[in-house]
Short mmCIF file of all heavy atoms in Angstrom, two decimals:
data_model
loop_
_atom_site.label_atom_id
_atom_site.label_comp_id
_atom_site.label_asym_id
_atom_site.label_seq_id
_atom_site.Cartn_x
_atom_site.Cartn_y
_atom_site.Cartn_z
N MET S 26 0.86 -1.18 0.01
CA MET S 26 0.00 -0.02 0.01
C MET S 26 0.89 1.22 0.00
O MET S 26 1.91 1.26 0.64
CB MET S 26 -0.91 -0.05 1.25
CG MET S 26 -1.96 1.03 1.24
SD MET S 26 -3.21 0.82 2.51
CE MET S 26 -2.38 1.54 3.92
N THR S 27 0.48 2.23 -0.72
CA THR S 27 1.19 3.50 -0.75
C THR S 27 1.02 4.22 0.60
O THR S 27 0.29 3.76 1.48
CB THR S 27 0.69 4.41 -1.88
OG1 THR S 27 -0.69 4.66 -1.65
CG2 THR S 27 0.88 3.74 -3.23
N THR S 28 1.67 5.36 0.76
CA THR S 28 1.50 6.14 1.97
C THR S 28 0.01 6.42 2.13
O THR S 28 -0.65 6.85 1.19
CB THR S 28 2.26 7.49 1.85
OG1 THR S 28 3.63 7.16 1.67
CG2 THR S 28 2.11 8.32 3.12
N PRO S 29 -0.56 6.14 3.31
CA PRO S 29 -2.02 6.28 3.47
C PRO S 29 -2.51 7.71 3.22
O PRO S 29 -1.86 8.66 3.55
CB PRO S 29 -2.22 5.95 4.95
CG PRO S 29 -1.03 5.18 5.36
CD PRO S 29 0.09 5.69 4.50
N ILE S 30 -3.67 7.77 2.56
CA ILE S 30 -4.33 9.04 2.34
C ILE S 30 -4.88 9.56 3.66
O ILE S 30 -4.91 10.74 3.95
CB ILE S 30 -5.45 8.88 1.28
CG1 ILE S 30 -4.85 8.47 -0.07
CG2 ILE S 30 -6.30 10.15 1.14
CD1 ILE S 30 -5.87 7.99 -1.07
N ILE S 31 -5.30 8.62 4.49
CA ILE S 31 -5.81 8.93 5.81
C ILE S 31 -5.34 7.83 6.77
O ILE S 31 -5.26 6.69 6.40
CB ILE S 31 -7.36 9.04 5.86
CG1 ILE S 31 -7.84 9.46 7.25
CG2 ILE S 31 -7.99 7.75 5.44
CD1 ILE S 31 -9.32 9.76 7.33
N ASP S 32 -4.96 8.24 7.97
CA ASP S 32 -4.47 7.31 8.98
C ASP S 32 -5.20 7.72 10.27
O ASP S 32 -4.78 8.67 10.94
CB ASP S 32 -2.99 7.38 9.14
CG ASP S 32 -2.43 6.34 10.10
OD1 ASP S 32 -3.21 5.60 10.66
OD2 ASP S 32 -1.19 6.30 10.27
N LEU S 33 -6.31 7.09 10.59
CA LEU S 33 -7.16 7.41 11.70
C LEU S 33 -6.89 6.48 12.85
O LEU S 33 -7.08 5.27 12.76
CB LEU S 33 -8.62 7.30 11.27
CG LEU S 33 -9.67 7.53 12.34
CD1 LEU S 33 -9.62 8.95 12.86
CD2 LEU S 33 -11.04 7.20 11.76
N LYS S 34 -6.43 7.05 14.00
CA LYS S 34 -6.23 6.29 15.19
C LYS S 34 -7.54 6.26 15.95
O LYS S 34 -8.14 7.28 16.18
CB LYS S 34 -5.13 6.91 16.05
CG LYS S 34 -3.80 7.12 15.36
CD LYS S 34 -3.17 5.82 14.92
CE LYS S 34 -1.85 6.07 14.30
NZ LYS S 34 -1.34 5.00 13.52
N THR S 35 -8.00 5.07 16.33
CA THR S 35 -9.32 4.92 16.93
C THR S 35 -9.36 3.66 17.78
O THR S 35 -8.41 2.89 17.83
CB THR S 35 -10.40 4.89 15.85
OG1 THR S 35 -11.68 4.91 16.47
CG2 THR S 35 -10.27 3.68 14.94
N THR S 36 -10.48 3.42 18.42
CA THR S 36 -10.72 2.18 19.13
C THR S 36 -11.40 1.21 18.16
O THR S 36 -12.34 1.59 17.52
CB THR S 36 -11.60 2.39 20.38
OG1 THR S 36 -10.91 3.31 21.24
CG2 THR S 36 -11.85 1.12 21.09
N VAL S 37 -10.91 -0.02 18.11
CA VAL S 37 -11.46 -1.01 17.24
C VAL S 37 -12.03 -2.12 18.10
O VAL S 37 -11.36 -2.62 19.00
CB VAL S 37 -10.39 -1.59 16.28
CG1 VAL S 37 -10.97 -2.68 15.41
CG2 VAL S 37 -9.80 -0.47 15.43
N THR S 38 -13.28 -2.49 17.90
CA THR S 38 -13.93 -3.58 18.64
C THR S 38 -13.96 -4.80 17.77
O THR S 38 -14.42 -4.76 16.65
CB THR S 38 -15.35 -3.19 19.06
OG1 THR S 38 -15.30 -1.97 19.83
CG2 THR S 38 -16.01 -4.29 19.86
N ARG S 39 -13.44 -5.91 18.31
CA ARG S 39 -13.39 -7.16 17.58
C ARG S 39 -14.28 -8.19 18.27
O ARG S 39 -14.47 -8.15 19.47
CB ARG S 39 -11.96 -7.68 17.54
CG ARG S 39 -11.03 -6.70 16.80
CD ARG S 39 -9.69 -7.33 16.56
NE ARG S 39 -9.84 -8.47 15.70
CZ ARG S 39 -9.04 -9.53 15.71
NH1 ARG S 39 -8.06 -9.58 16.54
NH2 ARG S 39 -9.22 -10.51 14.88
N ASP S 40 -14.78 -9.16 17.53
CA ASP S 40 -15.59 -10.23 18.07
C ASP S 40 -14.73 -11.41 18.46
O ASP S 40 -13.60 -11.54 18.04
CB ASP S 40 -16.63 -10.71 17.03
CG ASP S 40 -17.66 -9.61 16.74
OD1 ASP S 40 -17.90 -8.76 17.62
OD2 ASP S 40 -18.20 -9.64 15.64
N GLN S 41 -15.33 -12.31 19.22
CA GLN S 41 -14.79 -13.64 19.56
C GLN S 41 -13.47 -13.63 20.27
O GLN S 41 -12.47 -14.01 19.71
CB GLN S 41 -14.71 -14.52 18.33
CG GLN S 41 -16.03 -14.67 17.65
CD GLN S 41 -15.92 -15.42 16.34
OE1 GLN S 41 -14.86 -15.72 15.84
NE2 GLN S 41 -17.05 -15.69 15.73
N PRO S 42 -13.32 -13.28 21.50
CA PRO S 42 -14.29 -12.59 22.31
C PRO S 42 -14.26 -11.09 22.00
O PRO S 42 -13.27 -10.60 21.42
CB PRO S 42 -13.78 -12.82 23.74
CG PRO S 42 -12.32 -12.93 23.58
CD PRO S 42 -12.10 -13.63 22.23
N VAL S 43 -15.27 -10.36 22.42
CA VAL S 43 -15.32 -8.95 22.15
C VAL S 43 -14.25 -8.27 23.01
O VAL S 43 -14.18 -8.41 24.21
CB VAL S 43 -16.70 -8.34 22.52
CG1 VAL S 43 -16.69 -6.84 22.39
CG2 VAL S 43 -17.76 -8.95 21.62
N THR S 44 -13.37 -7.55 22.31
CA THR S 44 -12.31 -6.82 22.99
C THR S 44 -12.18 -5.45 22.32
O THR S 44 -12.50 -5.27 21.18
CB THR S 44 -10.94 -7.54 22.90
OG1 THR S 44 -10.62 -7.72 21.56
CG2 THR S 44 -10.97 -8.88 23.61
N GLN S 45 -11.68 -4.49 23.09
CA GLN S 45 -11.41 -3.19 22.53
C GLN S 45 -9.93 -2.92 22.71
O GLN S 45 -9.37 -3.14 23.78
CB GLN S 45 -12.23 -2.10 23.18
CG GLN S 45 -13.67 -2.07 22.73
CD GLN S 45 -14.39 -0.82 23.27
OE1 GLN S 45 -13.88 -0.11 24.11
NE2 GLN S 45 -15.55 -0.57 22.72
N THR S 46 -9.32 -2.38 21.71
CA THR S 46 -7.91 -2.04 21.78
C THR S 46 -7.67 -0.87 20.83
O THR S 46 -8.43 -0.64 19.90
CB THR S 46 -7.02 -3.26 21.43
OG1 THR S 46 -5.67 -2.92 21.62
CG2 THR S 46 -7.22 -3.69 19.98
N THR S 47 -6.61 -0.17 21.05
CA THR S 47 -6.24 0.95 20.18
C THR S 47 -5.80 0.38 18.83
O THR S 47 -5.01 -0.60 18.77
CB THR S 47 -5.14 1.81 20.77
OG1 THR S 47 -5.59 2.31 22.01
CG2 THR S 47 -4.79 2.96 19.86
N GLY S 48 -6.29 0.96 17.76
CA GLY S 48 -5.96 0.49 16.44
C GLY S 48 -5.90 1.64 15.47
O GLY S 48 -5.91 2.81 15.87
N SER S 49 -5.80 1.31 14.23
CA SER S 49 -5.66 2.31 13.19
C SER S 49 -6.45 1.91 11.97
O SER S 49 -6.53 0.72 11.66
CB SER S 49 -4.19 2.43 12.82
OG SER S 49 -3.96 3.31 11.77
N ILE S 50 -7.07 2.88 11.34
CA ILE S 50 -7.75 2.67 10.06
C ILE S 50 -6.97 3.50 9.03
O ILE S 50 -6.76 4.67 9.24
CB ILE S 50 -9.21 3.10 10.13
CG1 ILE S 50 -9.95 2.30 11.18
CG2 ILE S 50 -9.90 2.95 8.76
CD1 ILE S 50 -11.35 2.80 11.44
N GLN S 51 -6.58 2.86 7.95
CA GLN S 51 -5.85 3.56 6.90
C GLN S 51 -6.52 3.36 5.55
O GLN S 51 -7.11 2.29 5.30
CB GLN S 51 -4.41 3.08 6.83
CG GLN S 51 -3.59 3.38 8.03
CD GLN S 51 -2.14 2.93 7.91
OE1 GLN S 51 -1.83 2.09 7.08
NE2 GLN S 51 -1.29 3.51 8.70
N VAL S 52 -6.44 4.37 4.72
CA VAL S 52 -6.93 4.30 3.36
C VAL S 52 -5.82 4.71 2.42
O VAL S 52 -5.17 5.75 2.65
CB VAL S 52 -8.15 5.23 3.15
CG1 VAL S 52 -8.60 5.24 1.70
CG2 VAL S 52 -9.29 4.88 4.09
N GLY S 53 -5.55 3.92 1.42
CA GLY S 53 -4.50 4.24 0.43
C GLY S 53 -4.79 3.54 -0.84
O GLY S 53 -5.83 2.85 -1.00
N THR S 54 -3.90 3.67 -1.81
CA THR S 54 -4.06 2.97 -3.07
C THR S 54 -3.06 1.80 -3.11
O THR S 54 -2.04 1.84 -2.46
CB THR S 54 -3.82 3.90 -4.29
OG1 THR S 54 -2.53 4.52 -4.14
CG2 THR S 54 -4.89 4.96 -4.39
N ASP S 55 -3.41 0.79 -3.89
CA ASP S 55 -2.56 -0.37 -4.02
C ASP S 55 -1.31 0.02 -4.82
O ASP S 55 -1.42 0.72 -5.83
CB ASP S 55 -3.35 -1.47 -4.79
CG ASP S 55 -2.60 -2.78 -4.85
OD1 ASP S 55 -1.54 -2.83 -5.50
OD2 ASP S 55 -3.09 -3.73 -4.24
N GLU S 56 -0.15 -0.40 -4.36
CA GLU S 56 1.09 -0.04 -5.03
C GLU S 56 1.18 -0.57 -6.46
O GLU S 56 1.82 0.02 -7.33
CB GLU S 56 2.28 -0.55 -4.23
CG GLU S 56 2.49 0.15 -2.90
CD GLU S 56 3.64 -0.41 -2.11
OE1 GLU S 56 4.21 -1.47 -2.50
OE2 GLU S 56 3.97 0.19 -1.08
N LEU S 57 0.52 -1.69 -6.72
CA LEU S 57 0.58 -2.33 -8.01
C LEU S 57 -0.60 -2.02 -8.94
O LEU S 57 -0.55 -2.31 -10.12
CB LEU S 57 0.72 -3.85 -7.85
CG LEU S 57 1.88 -4.31 -7.01
CD1 LEU S 57 1.83 -5.84 -6.82
CD2 LEU S 57 3.22 -3.91 -7.63
N ASP S 58 -1.65 -1.44 -8.35
CA ASP S 58 -2.86 -1.17 -9.12
C ASP S 58 -3.53 0.13 -8.64
O ASP S 58 -4.20 0.13 -7.62
CB ASP S 58 -3.83 -2.35 -8.98
CG ASP S 58 -5.12 -2.17 -9.81
OD1 ASP S 58 -5.27 -1.16 -10.51
OD2 ASP S 58 -5.97 -3.09 -9.74
N ASP S 59 -3.32 1.20 -9.37
CA ASP S 59 -3.88 2.50 -8.96
C ASP S 59 -5.38 2.53 -8.92
O ASP S 59 -5.97 3.44 -8.36
CB ASP S 59 -3.39 3.62 -9.91
CG ASP S 59 -1.92 3.94 -9.70
OD1 ASP S 59 -1.38 3.61 -8.65
OD2 ASP S 59 -1.30 4.51 -10.61
N ASP S 60 -6.06 1.54 -9.55
CA ASP S 60 -7.51 1.49 -9.53
C ASP S 60 -8.08 0.79 -8.32
O ASP S 60 -9.28 0.63 -8.21
CB ASP S 60 -8.04 0.79 -10.82
CG ASP S 60 -7.74 1.61 -12.08
OD1 ASP S 60 -7.65 2.83 -11.95
OD2 ASP S 60 -7.64 0.98 -13.14
N THR S 61 -7.23 0.33 -7.42
CA THR S 61 -7.67 -0.38 -6.22
C THR S 61 -7.38 0.47 -5.00
O THR S 61 -6.25 0.92 -4.80
CB THR S 61 -6.95 -1.74 -6.08
OG1 THR S 61 -7.26 -2.53 -7.26
CG2 THR S 61 -7.38 -2.47 -4.84
N ILE S 62 -8.39 0.71 -4.19
CA ILE S 62 -8.26 1.43 -2.96
C ILE S 62 -8.18 0.41 -1.84
O ILE S 62 -8.99 -0.53 -1.78
CB ILE S 62 -9.47 2.39 -2.71
CG1 ILE S 62 -9.49 3.51 -3.76
CG2 ILE S 62 -9.40 3.00 -1.33
CD1 ILE S 62 -10.23 3.18 -4.98
N THR S 63 -7.15 0.53 -0.98
CA THR S 63 -7.00 -0.39 0.11
C THR S 63 -7.43 0.24 1.44
O THR S 63 -6.92 1.30 1.81
CB THR S 63 -5.55 -0.88 0.19
OG1 THR S 63 -5.19 -1.46 -1.03
CG2 THR S 63 -5.36 -1.90 1.31
N LEU S 64 -8.36 -0.41 2.11
CA LEU S 64 -8.83 0.02 3.41
C LEU S 64 -8.26 -1.00 4.39
O LEU S 64 -8.46 -2.22 4.22
CB LEU S 64 -10.36 -0.02 3.47
CG LEU S 64 -11.08 0.29 4.74
CD1 LEU S 64 -10.76 1.68 5.24
CD2 LEU S 64 -12.58 0.10 4.57
N SER S 65 -7.52 -0.53 5.40
CA SER S 65 -6.92 -1.47 6.33
C SER S 65 -7.24 -1.11 7.78
O SER S 65 -7.38 0.06 8.11
CB SER S 65 -5.41 -1.57 6.15
OG SER S 65 -4.77 -0.36 6.44
N PHE S 66 -7.38 -2.13 8.60
CA PHE S 66 -7.61 -2.01 10.04
C PHE S 66 -6.43 -2.70 10.70
O PHE S 66 -6.22 -3.90 10.48
CB PHE S 66 -8.91 -2.68 10.45
CG PHE S 66 -10.12 -2.10 9.75
CD1 PHE S 66 -10.52 -2.59 8.53
CD2 PHE S 66 -10.84 -1.06 10.31
CE1 PHE S 66 -11.63 -2.06 7.87
CE2 PHE S 66 -11.93 -0.54 9.68
CZ PHE S 66 -12.33 -1.03 8.46
N GLY S 67 -5.67 -1.96 11.53
CA GLY S 67 -4.52 -2.58 12.14
C GLY S 67 -4.44 -2.35 13.62
O GLY S 67 -5.00 -1.41 14.15
N GLY S 68 -3.79 -3.25 14.31
CA GLY S 68 -3.57 -3.15 15.73
C GLY S 68 -2.67 -4.31 16.17
O GLY S 68 -2.03 -4.95 15.36
N PRO S 69 -2.68 -4.56 17.45
CA PRO S 69 -1.83 -5.64 18.01
C PRO S 69 -2.12 -7.03 17.41
O PRO S 69 -1.28 -7.89 17.42
CB PRO S 69 -2.11 -5.66 19.49
CG PRO S 69 -2.83 -4.39 19.80
CD PRO S 69 -3.42 -3.90 18.52
N TRP S 70 -3.31 -7.22 16.86
CA TRP S 70 -3.69 -8.51 16.26
C TRP S 70 -3.12 -8.70 14.87
O TRP S 70 -3.20 -9.76 14.31
CB TRP S 70 -5.21 -8.62 16.21
CG TRP S 70 -5.83 -7.57 15.33
CD1 TRP S 70 -6.02 -7.64 13.98
CD2 TRP S 70 -6.25 -6.27 15.67
NE1 TRP S 70 -6.52 -6.50 13.47
CE2 TRP S 70 -6.68 -5.61 14.50
CE3 TRP S 70 -6.29 -5.56 16.86
CZ2 TRP S 70 -7.18 -4.32 14.49
CZ3 TRP S 70 -6.78 -4.27 16.88
CH2 TRP S 70 -7.20 -3.64 15.67
N GLY S 71 -2.63 -7.62 14.28
CA GLY S 71 -2.15 -7.65 12.90
C GLY S 71 -2.93 -6.67 12.06
O GLY S 71 -3.52 -5.72 12.60
N ILE S 72 -2.96 -6.84 10.78
CA ILE S 72 -3.64 -5.93 9.83
C ILE S 72 -4.63 -6.72 8.99
O ILE S 72 -4.31 -7.80 8.50
CB ILE S 72 -2.63 -5.20 8.94
CG1 ILE S 72 -1.65 -4.44 9.78
CG2 ILE S 72 -3.36 -4.26 7.98
CD1 ILE S 72 -0.49 -3.83 8.96
N THR S 73 -5.81 -6.20 8.86
CA THR S 73 -6.84 -6.73 8.01
C THR S 73 -7.06 -5.78 6.84
O THR S 73 -7.22 -4.57 7.07
CB THR S 73 -8.16 -6.98 8.76
OG1 THR S 73 -7.91 -7.83 9.84
CG2 THR S 73 -9.22 -7.55 7.82
N TYR S 74 -6.99 -6.25 5.64
CA TYR S 74 -7.10 -5.43 4.42
C TYR S 74 -8.42 -5.68 3.71
O TYR S 74 -8.89 -6.80 3.67
CB TYR S 74 -5.97 -5.69 3.44
CG TYR S 74 -4.59 -5.36 3.96
CD1 TYR S 74 -3.82 -6.34 4.54
CD2 TYR S 74 -4.09 -4.07 3.85
CE1 TYR S 74 -2.54 -6.06 5.03
CE2 TYR S 74 -2.83 -3.79 4.33
CZ TYR S 74 -2.06 -4.79 4.90
OH TYR S 74 -0.81 -4.51 5.37
N ALA S 75 -9.00 -4.64 3.11
CA ALA S 75 -10.09 -4.80 2.19
C ALA S 75 -9.74 -4.01 0.93
O ALA S 75 -9.44 -2.81 1.01
CB ALA S 75 -11.39 -4.23 2.80
N ASP S 76 -9.71 -4.67 -0.19
CA ASP S 76 -9.46 -4.01 -1.46
C ASP S 76 -10.77 -3.60 -2.09
O ASP S 76 -11.68 -4.43 -2.22
CB ASP S 76 -8.69 -4.92 -2.39
CG ASP S 76 -7.25 -5.12 -1.97
OD1 ASP S 76 -6.68 -4.22 -1.31
OD2 ASP S 76 -6.66 -6.20 -2.28
N LEU S 77 -10.89 -2.37 -2.44
CA LEU S 77 -12.15 -1.78 -2.94
C LEU S 77 -11.95 -1.22 -4.34
O LEU S 77 -10.91 -0.67 -4.64
CB LEU S 77 -12.66 -0.66 -2.02
CG LEU S 77 -12.78 -0.99 -0.52
CD1 LEU S 77 -13.07 0.28 0.25
CD2 LEU S 77 -13.86 -2.00 -0.34
N THR S 78 -13.01 -1.31 -5.13
CA THR S 78 -13.02 -0.61 -6.41
C THR S 78 -13.32 0.86 -6.12
O THR S 78 -13.80 1.17 -5.02
CB THR S 78 -14.11 -1.16 -7.33
OG1 THR S 78 -15.39 -0.89 -6.74
CG2 THR S 78 -13.95 -2.66 -7.60
N PRO S 79 -13.09 1.77 -7.04
CA PRO S 79 -13.47 3.17 -6.80
C PRO S 79 -14.94 3.31 -6.45
O PRO S 79 -15.31 4.10 -5.56
CB PRO S 79 -13.12 3.88 -8.12
CG PRO S 79 -11.96 3.07 -8.66
CD PRO S 79 -12.31 1.63 -8.29
N GLU S 80 -15.82 2.54 -7.08
CA GLU S 80 -17.25 2.61 -6.81
C GLU S 80 -17.55 2.14 -5.37
O GLU S 80 -18.34 2.78 -4.67
CB GLU S 80 -18.02 1.76 -7.81
CG GLU S 80 -17.99 2.26 -9.21
CD GLU S 80 -16.67 1.88 -9.97
OE1 GLU S 80 -15.88 1.05 -9.46
OE2 GLU S 80 -16.44 2.43 -11.05
N GLU S 81 -16.90 1.08 -4.93
CA GLU S 81 -17.09 0.60 -3.57
C GLU S 81 -16.56 1.61 -2.54
O GLU S 81 -17.21 1.83 -1.53
CB GLU S 81 -16.41 -0.77 -3.39
CG GLU S 81 -17.05 -1.90 -4.16
CD GLU S 81 -16.19 -3.13 -4.20
OE1 GLU S 81 -14.95 -3.03 -4.11
OE2 GLU S 81 -16.78 -4.22 -4.37
N ALA S 82 -15.43 2.21 -2.86
CA ALA S 82 -14.86 3.22 -1.95
C ALA S 82 -15.81 4.41 -1.82
O ALA S 82 -15.97 4.96 -0.71
CB ALA S 82 -13.48 3.65 -2.45
N HIS S 83 -16.39 4.83 -2.92
CA HIS S 83 -17.36 5.96 -2.87
C HIS S 83 -18.57 5.57 -2.03
O HIS S 83 -19.08 6.36 -1.26
CB HIS S 83 -17.80 6.34 -4.28
CG HIS S 83 -16.90 7.29 -4.97
ND1 HIS S 83 -16.72 8.60 -4.60
CD2 HIS S 83 -16.04 7.09 -6.01
CE1 HIS S 83 -15.82 9.17 -5.36
NE2 HIS S 83 -15.38 8.27 -6.24
N ALA S 84 -19.02 4.32 -2.17
CA ALA S 84 -20.17 3.87 -1.38
C ALA S 84 -19.84 3.87 0.12
O ALA S 84 -20.65 4.32 0.93
CB ALA S 84 -20.59 2.46 -1.81
N VAL S 85 -18.65 3.42 0.47
CA VAL S 85 -18.22 3.44 1.87
C VAL S 85 -18.14 4.89 2.37
O VAL S 85 -18.58 5.24 3.46
CB VAL S 85 -16.88 2.69 2.09
CG1 VAL S 85 -16.31 2.94 3.47
CG2 VAL S 85 -17.06 1.23 1.83
N ALA S 86 -17.54 5.75 1.57
CA ALA S 86 -17.37 7.17 1.97
C ALA S 86 -18.73 7.82 2.14
O ALA S 86 -18.94 8.60 3.07
CB ALA S 86 -16.54 7.89 0.92
N THR S 87 -19.66 7.55 1.25
CA THR S 87 -21.01 8.12 1.34
C THR S 87 -21.72 7.63 2.59
O THR S 87 -22.33 8.43 3.34
CB THR S 87 -21.85 7.77 0.09
OG1 THR S 87 -21.18 8.32 -1.04
CG2 THR S 87 -23.25 8.31 0.21
N ALA S 88 -21.58 6.33 2.89
CA ALA S 88 -22.20 5.77 4.11
C ALA S 88 -21.60 6.41 5.36
O ALA S 88 -22.32 6.76 6.30
CB ALA S 88 -22.01 4.25 4.14
N LEU S 89 -20.28 6.58 5.39
CA LEU S 89 -19.65 7.23 6.55
C LEU S 89 -20.08 8.67 6.67
O LEU S 89 -20.38 9.15 7.79
CB LEU S 89 -18.12 7.17 6.39
CG LEU S 89 -17.48 5.82 6.68
CD1 LEU S 89 -16.01 5.85 6.21
CD2 LEU S 89 -17.57 5.45 8.15
N ASP S 90 -20.16 9.39 5.56
CA ASP S 90 -20.60 10.79 5.59
C ASP S 90 -22.04 10.91 6.07
O ASP S 90 -22.35 11.75 6.92
CB ASP S 90 -20.46 11.41 4.21
CG ASP S 90 -20.71 12.90 4.23
OD1 ASP S 90 -20.15 13.59 5.10
OD2 ASP S 90 -21.49 13.35 3.39
N ASN S 91 -22.91 10.04 5.61
CA ASN S 91 -24.33 10.09 6.02
C ASN S 91 -24.45 9.74 7.52
O ASN S 91 -25.22 10.40 8.23
CB ASN S 91 -25.16 9.07 5.22
CG ASN S 91 -25.33 9.58 3.78
OD1 ASN S 91 -25.15 10.71 3.46
ND2 ASN S 91 -25.70 8.65 2.91
N ALA S 92 -23.70 8.76 7.98
CA ALA S 92 -23.75 8.36 9.40
C ALA S 92 -23.22 9.49 10.27
O ALA S 92 -23.74 9.80 11.34
CB ALA S 92 -22.97 7.09 9.63
N ALA S 93 -22.14 10.16 9.83
CA ALA S 93 -21.55 11.26 10.60
C ALA S 93 -22.52 12.45 10.65
O ALA S 93 -22.69 13.06 11.72
CB ALA S 93 -20.24 11.70 9.97
N THR S 94 -23.18 12.73 9.58
CA THR S 94 -24.17 13.80 9.54
C THR S 94 -25.32 13.50 10.51
O THR S 94 -25.76 14.34 11.31
CB THR S 94 -24.72 14.03 8.14
OG1 THR S 94 -23.62 14.38 7.28
CG2 THR S 94 -25.76 15.11 8.10
N THR S 95 -25.83 12.30 10.46
CA THR S 95 -26.91 11.85 11.37
C THR S 95 -26.48 11.94 12.81
O THR S 95 -27.21 12.42 13.67
CB THR S 95 -27.35 10.44 11.03
OG1 THR S 95 -27.82 10.39 9.67
CG2 THR S 95 -28.46 9.95 11.95
N ALA S 96 -25.28 11.51 13.12
CA ALA S 96 -24.76 11.54 14.48
C ALA S 96 -24.61 12.99 14.99
O ALA S 96 -24.94 13.27 16.14
CB ALA S 96 -23.41 10.81 14.58
N GLN S 97 -24.15 13.89 14.13
CA GLN S 97 -24.01 15.31 14.50
C GLN S 97 -25.36 15.93 14.78
O GLN S 97 -25.45 16.80 15.66
CB GLN S 97 -23.27 16.07 13.43
CG GLN S 97 -21.80 15.86 13.47
CD GLN S 97 -21.12 16.73 12.38
OE1 GLN S 97 -21.64 16.94 11.31
NE2 GLN S 97 -19.92 17.17 12.68
N GLU S 98 -26.34 15.55 14.00
CA GLU S 98 -27.67 16.15 14.14
C GLU S 98 -28.39 15.67 15.41
O GLU S 98 -29.31 16.31 15.88
CB GLU S 98 -28.55 15.84 12.91
CG GLU S 98 -28.02 16.55 11.68
CD GLU S 98 -28.72 16.07 10.42
OE1 GLU S 98 -29.54 15.14 10.44
OE2 GLU S 98 -28.44 16.68 9.35
N GLY S 99 -27.96 14.53 15.92
CA GLY S 99 -28.62 13.97 17.13
C GLY S 99 -29.92 13.27 16.79
O GLY S 99 -30.31 13.20 15.63
N PRO S 100 -30.56 12.75 17.83
CA PRO S 100 -31.85 12.01 17.58
C PRO S 100 -32.90 12.92 17.03
O PRO S 100 -32.98 14.11 17.36
CB PRO S 100 -32.22 11.48 18.97
CG PRO S 100 -31.42 12.27 19.97
CD PRO S 100 -30.23 12.84 19.23
N ALA S 101 -33.72 12.35 16.16
CA ALA S 101 -34.82 13.10 15.56
C ALA S 101 -35.90 13.39 16.64
O ALA S 101 -36.16 12.56 17.51
CB ALA S 101 -35.44 12.31 14.44
N ASP S 102 -36.47 14.56 16.58
CA ASP S 102 -37.53 14.94 17.52
C ASP S 102 -38.77 14.10 17.19
O ASP S 102 -39.13 13.96 16.04
CB ASP S 102 -37.87 16.41 17.41
CG ASP S 102 -36.76 17.29 17.93
OD1 ASP S 102 -35.97 16.79 18.75
OD2 ASP S 102 -36.65 18.45 17.49
N GLU S 103 -39.38 13.60 18.23
CA GLU S 103 -40.59 12.81 18.00
C GLU S 103 -41.80 13.55 18.47
O GLU S 103 -41.80 14.35 19.33
CB GLU S 103 -40.48 11.49 18.74
CG GLU S 103 -39.38 10.63 18.10
CD GLU S 103 -39.33 9.26 18.77
OE1 GLU S 103 -40.26 8.84 19.42
OE2 GLU S 103 -38.29 8.61 18.59
#
């Protein structure tokens, strides 16, 4: 992976058993294929990679943006 476009330090929750530990989320492009976006989650357990097409990366970015907007706005008034 090339130098990450974003390197977000955060808490990552894993299953089996559920544990929380400090980890990192990185987004970059594949060194061998500029059309592949690599999303990685890393921590003491190692690194997990997801290779995304540009369309998939846009879908993830849109979902994150929508969730962040909803979270900022708070619960809807009933």
Side-chain angles (χ1 to χ4, degrees):
M26 188 169 81
T27 60
T28 301
I30 296 168
I31 183 174
D32 186 358
L33 175 65
K34 304 297 182 197
T35 187
T36 299
V37 177
T38 303
R39 299 188 63 208
D40 294 333
Q41 302 174 353
V43 174
T44 58
Q45 285 189 347
T46 186
T47 300
S49 176
I50 300 172
Q51 295 182 339
V52 176
T54 54
D55 187 295
E56 292 177 351
L57 303 175
D58 182 0
D59 288 340
D60 292 334
T61 299
I62 294 88
T63 301
L64 175 62
S65 64
F66 301 87
W70 64 87
I72 302 173
T73 301
Y74 297 95
D76 289 332
L77 307 172
T78 65
E80 294 79 11
E81 292 167 333
H83 278 289
V85 170
T87 299
L89 285 169
D90 187 48
N91 290 343
T94 299
T95 299
Q97 281 182 325
E98 292 170 355
D102 292 336
E103 293 184 18

